[in-house]
Amino acid sequence: MHDLHIHTNLSSCARPDSEPAGYLAEIRRRSYPVIGFADHLWDADVPGASDWYRPQDIPHVLSLRRELADVTIPGTRLLVG
């Protein structure tokens, strides 16, 4: 099984308790071959962001990439979009 569209608590649509650590524990338990984190992203240089999108800027979402940079799960490919 693959899941390529996981939202963490970095996305406004996700539950506040949708922490990456919780997902990682479940990914290890279920042995997913490919997982993709797909949090919403808005480039602050592009005008017209709604109040819903504005907080989900590039530095905010790239924090997930930094958090997961050293995570390895044998047999699982982690993608961060």
Side-chain angles (χ1 to χ4, degrees):
M1 180 186 312
H2 299 60
D3 191 339
L4 300 176
H5 198 106
I6 296 173
H7 290 280
T8 70
N9 58 349
L10 294 175
S11 287
S12 297
C13 65
R15 293 177 15 184
D17 64 347
S18 299
E19 298 281 340
Y23 283 120
L24 294 173
E26 191 64 18
I27 291 162
R28 285 182 178 97
R29 190 177 77 75
R30 294 182 183 224
S31 300
Y32 283 88
V34 181
I35 292 295
F37 290 94
D39 287 303
H40 294 278
L41 176 68
W42 187 270
D43 185 342
D45 291 337
V46 176
S50 69
D51 289 340
W52 188 84
Y53 267 108
R54 194 171 290 110
Q56 302 168 108
D57 62 3
I58 291 172
H60 177 74
V61 175
L62 287 180
S63 68
L64 179 65
R65 187 172 295 238
R66 287 188 302 275
E67 183 176 343
L68 297 177
D70 296 327
V71 172
T72 57
I73 300 172
T76 300
R77 183 174 175 204
L78 291 176
L79 306 172
V80 181

